[in-house]
Amino acid sequence: MTMTGKLRAAIVGSTGYGGVELIRLLQSHPDIEITSVISSSSAGAPIEEGFPHLTGIVQRNLDGVDAAEIANRADVVFTATPSGVSAKLVPQLLEAGLKVVDLSGDFRLKDGAEYEQWYKHPAPPEAYLQQAVYGLCEVYGERAAGVDFISNPGCYPTATLLGLVPALEAGWIKPDSIIIDAKSGVSGAGRGTSLMVHFAEINENFKAYKINKHQHIPEIEQVLTDIAGEKVTVTFTTHLVPMTRGIMSTMYAGLTGEHSEQELVELYRKYYAGRPYVRVREPGVVPATKEVSGSNYCDIGFATDARTGRVTIVSVIDNIVKGAAGQAIQNLNLMMGWEETRGLGYTPVYP
Amino acid sequence: MTMTGKLRAAIVGSTGYGGVELIRLLQSHPDIEITSVISSSSAGAPIEEGFPHLTGIVQRNLDGVDAAEIANRADVVFTATPSGVSAKLVPQLLEAGLKVVDLSGDFRLKDGAEYEQWYKHPAPPEAYLQQAVYGLCEVYGERAAGVDFISNPGCYPTATLLGLVPALEAGWIKPDSIIIDAKSGVSGAGRGTSLMVHFAEINENFKAYKINKHQHIPEIEQVLTDIAGEKVTVTFTTHLVPMTRGIMSTMYAGLTGEHSEQELVELYRKYYAGRPYVRVREPGVVPATKEVSGSNYCDIGFATDARTGRVTIVSVIDNIVKGAAGQAIQNLNLMMGWEETRGLGYTPVYP
Amino acid sequence: MTMTGKLRAAIVGSTGYGGVELIRLLQSHPDIEITSVISSSSAGAPIEEGFPHLTGIVQRNLDGVDAAEIANRADVVFTATPSGVSAKLVPQLLEAGLKVVDLSGDFRLKDGAEYEQWYKHPAPPEAYLQQAVYGLCEVYGERAAGVDFISNPGCYPTATLLGLVPALEAGWIKPDSIIIDAKSGVSGAGRGTSLMVHFAEINENFKAYKINKHQHIPEIEQVLTDIAGEKVTVTFTTHLVPMTRGIMSTMYAGLTGEHSEQELVELYRKYYAGRPYVRVREPGVVPATKEVSGSNYCDIGFATDARTGRVTIVSVIDNIVKGAAGQAIQNLNLMMGWEETRGLGYTPVYP
Amino acid sequence: MTMTGKLRAAIVGSTGYGGVELIRLLQSHPDIEITSVISSSSAGAPIEEGFPHLTGIVQRNLDGVDAAEIANRADVVFTATPSGVSAKLVPQLLEAGLKVVDLSGDFRLKDGAEYEQWYKHPAPPEAYLQQAVYGLCEVYGERAAGVDFISNPGCYPTATLLGLVPALEAGWIKPDSIIIDAKSGVSGAGRGTSLMVHFAEINENFKAYKINKHQHIPEIEQVLTDIAGEKVTVTFTTHLVPMTRGIMSTMYAGLTGEHSEQELVELYRKYYAGRPYVRVREPGVVPATKEVSGSNYCDIGFATDARTGRVTIVSVIDNIVKGAAGQAIQNLNLMMGWEETRGLGYTPVYP
């Protein structure tokens, strides 16, 4: 705690897009103060050197990664690190008595073998995999209260699962019919440089990648299986959109009966009652990504088709907010027993 | 014919994106000379006024729309007009003895009642609906030879059908399982002004529209039904991508048996043998829209998924070339008995 | 005042980009409550119909434009109206006892004849032209305290003047040597539809417009003349950048003596001391537009050139925030005697 | 020569944007056949692996860099290599009897000391610096006939010099008053990866770079000095536009007398008479970059300002065509005594 009673927060991976978004959002959180921004690659340098937009806002040098030092400076740590790094670091942070919200993906799968198959790294120790609470707030939010360790959901799973869970739980869609066509802005690929994110290769271009091979597939299936009570397998395609922020997940499923758009809206509004960050649109209206940009909202809409007996579900988020930093703060709020919306009252930036 | 033996071509709708692309492409056609550029809205003005990129290339005033005058000036007419306009104009042009390639959509559906249901205009006279040859070159190309009237396929149907036909014809995919998730650049919406195409509304945004309601659905189903020999109904979503050119159609279908990506590649390469504008990619490789930009190519790739028994097919075109002006010229080449590639040898513009 | 002691604010022109940005920013202002959103064109409709990003945030129908009714509902009015409309409306609002911050441009020029020459509308009544305080906060901020009527500066003038005033006032640059090469995102053109803002015409394009003819020229010259104490005439070019938000003004001027980048930085930091929304960068570092996006900052940098004796000044703002809605709120804060930063603590959104 | 009498061309640097554009453009050149595509980094791989848009068009493996082998395979070499590489390679190629068009910049400056100051590499041998003909076609085209070695101009210098030379030569603008505000698409930075070209850093952003420090400054000044007959020094700023292709150079100069836009148009049209790739626009009309995209045109327009006595000149090119590959082919045409337009008849791609 700071002398003014604020929770002290450290951010590991402060020079990635997820980390720097945590910094932006936490500026307006009334109960949290950032006391350490950490980067293994740039330790020692002022953070505004690599992120001039923070000039005069965050005047702080980047710290190195050292669990003991972090424990001296902070009460809670956000680990926005590449997959594989958190697997080793998080256990040390937890042992040092810190609360942790991990954004890396390393603790999302309960089955270590499945992790190793999809992530191609050694899995973290079993005990930590089991300890981690999967922080999909609007579905598993009640599990977060009082815990020390949250594994923050992936960006694609967040948009996708919030779009599927109510209908699947209600038994309105056929579990073996789910096809997910997802599209993401380029910030989802991180700040690392590669030909794939070169402006001239992305701009005025649209491409699919990792078809049926994305590491978010087992994460999505783990939750859907939990909800359905039977093994669910999905077809999942990811595409890169020439934009910076935003994910749309367009989902297709066979309906088990005749359910109108109006009924779906009511079902979802009931499911998400009291959860302000999911906005279910009017029947026949589907959301666009810009309508949630810069904010923690997930917006959902439906189109049913009597001709084919299928429903099309459209779910959008800002991949860096609701798909990463925003949901991480929402999870911390739930861990601390604070109101879910604390520090997250950002209106979408439009246009 | 011109004195140098070239076919004289008129373009109705020269101030739309399809029309102006016909002008670009025809500059390099050795057997065609543009003798009239026509616009109902801007008649009398030099075309370079609205399209300064044509300065010094096409020095010609826009003509008005008059079938008799067109017949004096031209041998063939490309009608790149809004739907509803061609329905009335094309019969007059045909009666005046002209050859016509219609890009409007008014003559694609054989069933006038279905046309009226989806297009909300009165259908063209039945005789012309039946006369029109649906010009999907790589599927129905042999029907084009020697005819006077081609109905040029829509942009979404072109990308989608070239991606589905070989597998459907071979009986490798289940006809009732087809889901099409299509994405288009904004030029597909035409040059008319509206809030939907305002830069600030499209840029850094991704949106779905007309889910299961797009007028290209019956066009796609008409061909798939013809190929399958049974009624085929599809789920079809269209999205707007913040880019100018390009369509990707991502298609999902259940496989009827075990077919590897390698087998699919072979099946498609055999089907499209001798058709240079369809490029089937190596197994496991899917194309991006920019890889065909500015050219008449349709590129296709596959990903099969043993876990779900489905195949994902990715097909891309430049919506203004292969999806409109380029295929129209390809159709004219086939009508005239010329080589299919005449005047269309454009290498994609990359990056 | 509301019952909780908040100032009641109405926004005329709520369906334009400036108006909707006022709504976004005011959500976090602790002392202001929006009590009326007004639009002449869409009165009666819920605002979220045209701006779905406000779903669940602002649940309010648009009101019509009626000075008496506004006076019943509000204490202060932001008029984000097209030029020509405010000229007539603002006097009524002031007569009705309201405080007004006008974003339209109608009251920026003190000389009515000059207004009519550049704006091609009849000038507002002379008395109101004289009453209006030109609200360039960091230059004329002290004049705002306690007044009822502020004319909010234009977007280009804000970026340009904040970049030029300190050096001109210090006599370090030659008044007759100033050349301004400005670039703006497309939101600056407003939400109205036209071919000029069509996505396919702007995307992958860069264009100049209104060279030496932009109505912001006399506004810039009026202030520079005031500062220099002699008539200043500038060369001014505006360009459209394929992006939504942001203005960069790149300015060239002959130096009157040898002044290093270091000295310029010190001069500007001294001039803007205590004004948190101008950030003067380190010597040799110039800002990019994204570094202020979504925020009220104006960032400034310098490059001097010993070879030519000229200085290049780069100034960037978010045109809808510091160039419109943000500065309007900053002005209201100054009028009310509140802290300048009240409700404006937005960290730039990056990336 | 090939057996069909075509000139055999090799391209060194085929995996850069300049090299791959040479490949695109040369597909339609009737007198040239590409017989070797060369890359030091990717030798052995098929070129379509890194550039799938060439699938089925160029089926050729990349060769390594070896002057003797190149001389066996080719008559002419385009060296589209990074600066510093050509300095060493080109002398070998010339000694091997090849004709060379160098796109690297290594042979543009006649003064080796100046080269080393701006390029930070050792200069090429003096003899080759002197041998190189600076290939600004519309200014120095007559010098190209029959020579073996052309140094192809830089992208910024091409747009800038074509915009300034006629007025400077006529004595209509003051040599010491020239300010150049240039803007480029991102492809100008090449295909190498770096944070600077990361999509998320460029998109929805506008930035200035290398103010008064760009290596194209001495190249511009060398020509302007030659034309003016006195030392000319310029102020030169470069900016990065969130688009892939295109350069606009906005230039400011004091007029020596009263010259109307009409007179400037006439002066430039006379200067460029018979040179089809410079299009001088009507008085008061300035070009946008998209109006030349994909083509070899340079379009120029003017705005004079009686209030300041200055002229604003706007010049646009496609940086990869007229600013690199297109002008290189134009130079080869001139070297060979062919018509300047041979193989370059590309209509701009719009939209």
Side-chain angles (χ1 to χ4, degrees):
Chain A
M1 288 284 168
T2 64
M3 292 185 44
T4 57
K6 290 192 179 186
L7 197 72
R8 298 171 307 159
I11 299 166
V12 184
S14 287
T15 55
Y17 290 142
V20 86
E21 186 74 348
L22 279 162
I23 294 172
R24 175 175 81 92
L25 297 175
L26 289 173
Q27 296 310 306
S28 68
H29 199 295
D31 306 312
I32 301 178
E33 184 175 326
I34 298 173
T35 52
S36 177
V37 288
I38 297 165
S39 164
S40 60
S41 57
S42 312
I47 190 163
E48 67 182 51
E49 204 172 276
F51 289 104
H53 72 285
L54 295 176
T55 301
I57 298 172
V58 180
Q59 280 158 320
R60 190 176 279 282
N61 286 357
L62 289 157
D63 297 317
V65 185
D66 182 303
E69 278 192 35
I70 296 170
N72 280 339
R73 292 199 212 99
D75 308 304
V76 61
V77 187
F78 295 96
T79 46
T81 45
S83 109
V85 174
S86 281
K88 294 176 191 150
L89 177 63
V90 165
Q92 300 172 37
L93 297 171
L94 289 169
E95 293 315 307
L98 288 153
K99 290 178 188 298
V100 175
V101 181
D102 178 52
L103 290 81
S104 78
D106 280 354
F107 297 89
R108 293 183 197 144
L109 301 183
K110 291 296 170 196
D111 179 344
E114 195 170 34
Y115 174 87
E116 296 186 353
Q117 176 195 334
W118 289 88
Y119 282 81
K120 324 287 182 200
H121 303 293
E126 177 69 12
Y128 297 99
L129 287 184
Q130 299 316 319
Q131 182 187 348
V133 169
Y134 183 74
L136 187 63
C137 301
E138 285 80 6
V139 174
Y140 297 124
E142 73 285 356
R143 301 186 187 171
V147 306
D148 286 334
F149 179 25
I150 294 272
S151 175
N152 208 52
C155 50
Y156 286 121
T158 296
T160 300
L161 292 168
L162 293 177
L164 288 171
V165 161
L168 188 68
E169 193 192 72
W172 289 16
I173 56 175
K174 300 176 189 162
D176 64 352
S177 73
I178 299 171
I179 292 173
I180 302 154
D181 191 285
K183 301 90 176 172
S184 176
V186 179
S187 61
R191 210 188 195 201
T193 62
S194 73
L195 188 58
M196 196 185 90
V197 298
H198 192 302
F199 182 86
E201 305 284 322
I202 289 286
N203 180 46
E204 192 58 15
N205 198 1
F206 187 83
K207 57 175 80 171
Y209 69 102
K210 285 195 187 177
I211 300 182
N212 296 323
K213 291 182 181 152
H214 198 286
Q215 71 276 12
H216 286 169
I217 292 174
E219 182 180 343
I220 290 168
E221 292 180 349
Q222 177 175 275
V223 174
L224 294 183
T225 295
D226 176 48
I227 298 293
E230 60 177 282
K231 175 70 186 154
V232 178
T233 308
V234 300
T235 290
F236 183 67
T237 304
T238 46
H239 302 79
L240 225 41
V241 185
M243 64 184 186
T244 299
R245 285 172 182 249
I247 280 181
M248 178 181 287
S249 194
T250 312
M251 296 163 277
Y252 302 92
L255 288 165
T256 54
E258 281 189 25
H259 298 291
S260 68
E261 291 169 2
Q262 177 67 45
E263 288 171 305
L264 282 156
V265 167
E266 284 163 16
L267 176 74
Y268 276 63
R269 285 195 176 155
K270 193 168 164 199
Y271 187 97
Y272 292 120
R275 313 311 299 251
Y277 290 127
V278 175
R279 301 189 295 191
V280 182
R281 293 297 181 78
E282 294 296 298
V285 177
V286 294
T289 62
K290 207 185 189 81
E291 292 161 15
V292 297
S293 187
S295 83
N296 200 47
Y297 290 102
C298 174
D299 283 14
I300 300 172
F302 309 94
T304 56
D305 187 10
R307 302 185 335 130
T308 59
R310 295 192 188 104
V311 61
T312 304
I313 305 173
V314 175
S315 172
V316 299
I317 60 169
D318 181 320
N319 59 306
I320 325 186
V321 188
K322 183 62 174 169
Q327 187 160 234
I329 294 169
Q330 193 179 357
N331 271 312
L332 182 61
N333 287 341
L334 294 171
M335 288 163 81
M336 301 301 294
W338 298 334
E339 226 181 324
E340 186 174 26
T341 55
R342 209 81 177 129
L344 287 172
Y346 287 91
T347 297
V349 180
Y350 195 95
Chain B
M1 288 285 167
T2 64
M3 292 186 46
T4 58
K6 290 191 179 186
L7 198 71
R8 298 171 305 158
I11 299 166
V12 184
S14 286
T15 55
Y17 289 143
V20 84
E21 185 74 348
L22 279 163
I23 294 173
R24 176 176 80 93
L25 298 175
L26 288 174
Q27 297 309 306
S28 69
H29 200 297
D31 306 312
I32 300 178
E33 185 176 325
I34 298 174
T35 51
S36 178
V37 289
I38 297 165
S39 164
S40 61
S41 57
S42 312
I47 190 164
E48 67 182 51
E49 203 172 277
F51 289 105
H53 73 285
L54 295 177
T55 301
I57 297 172
V58 179
Q59 279 159 320
R60 189 177 280 282
N61 286 358
L62 290 158
D63 297 316
V65 185
D66 182 303
E69 279 192 34
I70 297 172
N72 280 338
R73 292 198 211 99
D75 307 305
V76 60
V77 187
F78 296 96
T79 46
T81 45
S83 109
V85 175
S86 281
K88 293 176 193 150
L89 178 63
V90 166
Q92 300 171 37
L93 298 170
L94 289 170
E95 293 315 307
L98 287 153
K99 290 178 188 299
V100 174
V101 181
D102 178 52
L103 291 83
S104 77
D106 281 352
F107 297 88
R108 293 183 197 144
L109 301 183
K110 290 297 170 196
D111 179 344
E114 196 170 34
Y115 174 87
E116 296 185 354
Q117 176 195 336
W118 290 88
Y119 281 80
K120 324 286 183 202
H121 302 292
E126 177 70 11
Y128 297 99
L129 288 183
Q130 299 315 319
Q131 182 187 348
V133 169
Y134 183 73
L136 188 63
C137 302
E138 286 80 6
V139 174
Y140 297 125
E142 73 286 355
R143 300 186 188 172
V147 305
D148 286 335
F149 178 25
I150 294 272
S151 175
N152 207 52
C155 50
Y156 285 121
T158 296
T160 300
L161 293 169
L162 293 178
L164 288 171
V165 161
L168 187 67
E169 193 192 70
W172 289 17
I173 55 175
K174 299 176 190 163
D176 65 351
S177 73
I178 298 171
I179 291 172
I180 302 154
D181 191 285
K183 301 91 176 171
S184 176
V186 179
S187 61
R191 211 188 194 200
T193 62
S194 73
L195 188 59
M196 196 185 91
V197 298
H198 191 302
F199 182 86
E201 305 284 322
I202 290 285
N203 179 46
E204 192 61 14
N205 197 0
F206 188 82
K207 56 176 79 171
Y209 69 102
K210 285 195 188 178
I211 301 182
N212 296 323
K213 291 182 182 153
H214 199 286
Q215 71 276 13
H216 286 169
I217 292 174
E219 181 181 343
I220 291 168
E221 292 181 350
Q222 177 175 276
V223 174
L224 295 182
T225 295
D226 175 48
I227 298 292
E230 60 176 280
K231 175 71 187 151
V232 177
T233 308
V234 300
T235 290
F236 183 67
T237 305
T238 45
H239 302 79
L240 225 41
V241 184
M243 63 184 186
T244 300
R245 285 173 182 248
I247 279 180
M248 178 181 288
S249 194
T250 312
M251 295 163 278
Y252 303 93
L255 288 165
T256 55
E258 281 189 24
H259 298 291
S260 69
E261 291 169 2
Q262 178 66 47
E263 288 171 305
L264 282 156
V265 167
E266 284 163 15
L267 176 73
Y268 276 63
R269 286 192 176 157
K270 195 169 162 197
Y271 186 95
Y272 292 119
R275 313 312 299 251
Y277 290 125
V278 175
R279 302 189 295 191
V280 181
R281 294 297 182 76
E282 293 297 298
V285 177
V286 293
T289 62
K290 208 186 187 81
E291 292 160 15
V292 297
S293 187
S295 83
N296 200 46
Y297 290 103
C298 174
D299 283 15
I300 300 172
F302 309 95
T304 57
D305 188 10
R307 303 184 335 130
T308 59
R310 295 193 189 103
V311 61
T312 305
I313 305 173
V314 175
S315 172
V316 300
I317 60 169
D318 181 321
N319 59 306
I320 325 187
V321 187
K322 184 61 173 169
Q327 187 161 235
I329 295 169
Q330 193 179 355
N331 271 312
L332 181 61
N333 288 341
L334 293 171
M335 286 163 81
M336 301 300 295
W338 298 333
E339 227 181 323
E340 188 173 26
T341 55
R342 209 85 177 124
L344 287 172
Y346 288 91
T347 297
V349 180
Y350 195 96
Chain C
M1 288 286 168
T2 64
M3 290 186 43
T4 57
K6 290 192 179 186
L7 198 71
R8 299 171 305 158
I11 299 166
V12 184
S14 286
T15 55
Y17 289 143
V20 83
E21 185 75 349
L22 279 163
I23 294 173
R24 176 175 82 92
L25 297 175
L26 288 174
Q27 296 309 308
S28 69
H29 199 296
D31 305 313
I32 301 178
E33 184 178 325
I34 298 174
T35 51
S36 177
V37 288
I38 296 165
S39 164
S40 60
S41 57
S42 312
I47 190 164
E48 67 182 50
E49 204 172 276
F51 288 105
H53 73 284
L54 295 176
T55 300
I57 298 172
V58 179
Q59 279 158 320
R60 191 176 278 281
N61 286 356
L62 290 158
D63 296 317
V65 186
D66 182 303
E69 278 191 35
I70 296 172
N72 280 338
R73 293 198 211 99
D75 307 305
V76 61
V77 187
F78 295 96
T79 46
T81 44
S83 109
V85 174
S86 281
K88 292 175 194 152
L89 177 63
V90 165
Q92 301 171 36
L93 297 170
L94 289 169
E95 293 316 305
L98 289 154
K99 289 180 187 297
V100 174
V101 181
D102 178 52
L103 290 83
S104 76
D106 281 353
F107 297 88
R108 294 184 196 144
L109 301 183
K110 291 297 170 198
D111 178 343
E114 196 170 34
Y115 174 88
E116 296 185 352
Q117 177 195 335
W118 289 88
Y119 282 81
K120 323 289 182 198
H121 301 293
E126 177 70 13
Y128 296 98
L129 287 183
Q130 299 315 320
Q131 182 186 348
V133 170
Y134 183 74
L136 186 64
C137 302
E138 286 80 7
V139 175
Y140 297 123
E142 72 286 355
R143 299 184 188 173
V147 306
D148 286 334
F149 179 24
I150 294 273
S151 175
N152 208 52
C155 50
Y156 286 121
T158 297
T160 300
L161 293 169
L162 293 177
L164 288 171
V165 161
L168 187 67
E169 192 192 73
W172 289 16
I173 56 175
K174 300 174 189 163
D176 64 352
S177 73
I178 299 170
I179 291 172
I180 302 155
D181 190 285
K183 301 92 175 172
S184 176
V186 179
S187 61
R191 212 189 193 200
T193 61
S194 72
L195 188 58
M196 196 185 91
V197 298
H198 191 302
F199 182 86
E201 305 284 322
I202 289 286
N203 180 46
E204 192 61 14
N205 198 2
F206 187 83
K207 56 176 81 172
Y209 68 103
K210 284 194 187 178
I211 302 181
N212 295 324
K213 290 182 182 153
H214 198 287
Q215 71 275 12
H216 286 169
I217 293 174
E219 181 180 343
I220 291 168
E221 293 180 351
Q222 178 175 276
V223 174
L224 295 182
T225 296
D226 175 50
I227 298 293
E230 60 176 280
K231 174 71 187 152
V232 178
T233 308
V234 300
T235 291
F236 183 66
T237 305
T238 46
H239 302 79
L240 225 40
V241 184
M243 63 184 186
T244 300
R245 285 173 182 250
I247 279 180
M248 177 181 287
S249 194
T250 312
M251 295 163 277
Y252 303 92
L255 288 164
T256 54
E258 282 189 23
H259 299 290
S260 69
E261 290 168 3
Q262 178 67 46
E263 288 170 307
L264 282 155
V265 167
E266 284 164 14
L267 176 74
Y268 276 63
R269 286 192 176 158
K270 194 168 164 198
Y271 187 96
Y272 292 120
R275 313 311 298 252
Y277 290 127
V278 175
R279 302 190 294 192
V280 181
R281 294 295 182 77
E282 293 298 296
V285 176
V286 293
T289 62
K290 206 184 188 80
E291 292 161 13
V292 297
S293 187
S295 83
N296 199 46
Y297 290 102
C298 173
D299 283 15
I300 300 171
F302 310 93
T304 55
D305 187 11
R307 302 183 336 127
T308 59
R310 295 192 189 104
V311 61
T312 305
I313 305 174
V314 175
S315 173
V316 299
I317 60 168
D318 181 320
N319 58 306
I320 325 186
V321 187
K322 184 61 173 171
Q327 187 160 234
I329 295 169
Q330 192 179 356
N331 271 313
L332 181 61
N333 288 341
L334 293 171
M335 287 162 81
M336 300 300 295
W338 298 334
E339 226 181 324
E340 186 173 27
T341 55
R342 208 81 177 130
L344 287 172
Y346 289 90
T347 297
V349 180
Y350 194 95
Chain D
M1 288 286 168
T2 63
M3 292 186 43
T4 57
K6 291 191 178 185
L7 198 72
R8 298 171 306 158
I11 300 167
V12 183
S14 287
T15 56
Y17 290 143
V20 84
E21 186 75 347
L22 279 162
I23 294 173
R24 175 175 82 92
L25 297 175
L26 288 174
Q27 297 308 309
S28 68
H29 199 296
D31 305 313
I32 300 178
E33 184 177 326
I34 298 174
T35 51
S36 178
V37 288
I38 297 165
S39 164
S40 60
S41 57
S42 311
I47 189 163
E48 66 182 51
E49 203 172 277
F51 288 105
H53 73 286
L54 295 176
T55 301
I57 298 172
V58 179
Q59 279 158 320
R60 189 177 279 281
N61 285 356
L62 290 157
D63 297 317
V65 185
D66 182 302
E69 277 192 35
I70 296 171
N72 280 338
R73 292 199 212 98
D75 307 305
V76 61
V77 187
F78 296 96
T79 47
T81 45
S83 109
V85 174
S86 281
K88 293 175 192 152
L89 177 63
V90 165
Q92 300 172 36
L93 297 171
L94 289 169
E95 293 316 306
L98 287 153
K99 290 178 187 299
V100 174
V101 181
D102 178 53
L103 289 82
S104 78
D106 280 353
F107 297 89
R108 294 183 197 144
L109 301 182
K110 291 296 170 196
D111 178 344
E114 196 171 34
Y115 174 88
E116 296 185 353
Q117 177 195 337
W118 288 88
Y119 282 80
K120 324 287 183 200
H121 303 291
E126 177 71 12
Y128 296 98
L129 286 184
Q130 300 314 320
Q131 183 187 347
V133 170
Y134 183 74
L136 187 64
C137 302
E138 285 81 6
V139 174
Y140 297 124
E142 72 286 355
R143 299 184 188 173
V147 306
D148 286 334
F149 179 25
I150 294 273
S151 175
N152 207 52
C155 51
Y156 286 121
T158 297
T160 300
L161 292 168
L162 294 178
L164 288 171
V165 161
L168 187 67
E169 193 192 73
W172 289 16
I173 56 175
K174 300 175 189 162
D176 65 351
S177 73
I178 298 171
I179 292 173
I180 302 155
D181 191 285
K183 300 92 175 171
S184 176
V186 179
S187 61
R191 210 188 194 200
T193 61
S194 73
L195 188 59
M196 196 185 90
V197 298
H198 192 303
F199 182 86
E201 305 284 323
I202 290 285
N203 180 47
E204 192 60 15
N205 198 0
F206 187 83
K207 57 175 79 173
Y209 69 103
K210 285 195 186 178
I211 301 182
N212 295 324
K213 290 182 181 153
H214 198 287
Q215 70 276 12
H216 286 169
I217 293 174
E219 181 181 342
I220 290 168
E221 293 181 349
Q222 178 175 275
V223 174
L224 295 182
T225 296
D226 176 49
I227 297 293
E230 60 178 282
K231 176 71 187 151
V232 177
T233 308
V234 300
T235 290
F236 183 67
T237 304
T238 46
H239 302 79
L240 226 39
V241 185
M243 64 183 184
T244 301
R245 285 172 180 247
I247 280 180
M248 179 182 286
S249 193
T250 311
M251 295 164 276
Y252 302 92
L255 287 165
T256 53
E258 282 188 25
H259 298 290
S260 69
E261 291 168 3
Q262 178 67 46
E263 288 171 306
L264 283 155
V265 168
E266 283 162 16
L267 176 74
Y268 276 62
R269 285 193 177 158
K270 195 169 162 197
Y271 187 95
Y272 292 120
R275 314 311 298 250
Y277 289 126
V278 175
R279 301 189 294 191
V280 181
R281 294 296 182 79
E282 294 296 297
V285 177
V286 293
T289 62
K290 207 186 190 77
E291 292 161 14
V292 298
S293 187
S295 82
N296 199 46
Y297 291 101
C298 174
D299 283 15
I300 300 171
F302 309 94
T304 56
D305 187 11
R307 301 181 339 126
T308 60
R310 294 191 189 106
V311 62
T312 305
I313 305 174
V314 174
S315 171
V316 299
I317 59 169
D318 181 319
N319 60 306
I320 325 185
V321 187
K322 184 61 173 170
Q327 188 160 232
I329 294 170
Q330 193 180 358
N331 271 312
L332 182 60
N333 287 341
L334 295 170
M335 288 163 81
M336 301 300 294
W338 298 333
E339 227 180 322
E340 187 173 25
T341 56
R342 208 80 178 131
L344 287 171
Y346 288 90
T347 297
V349 181
Y350 194 95

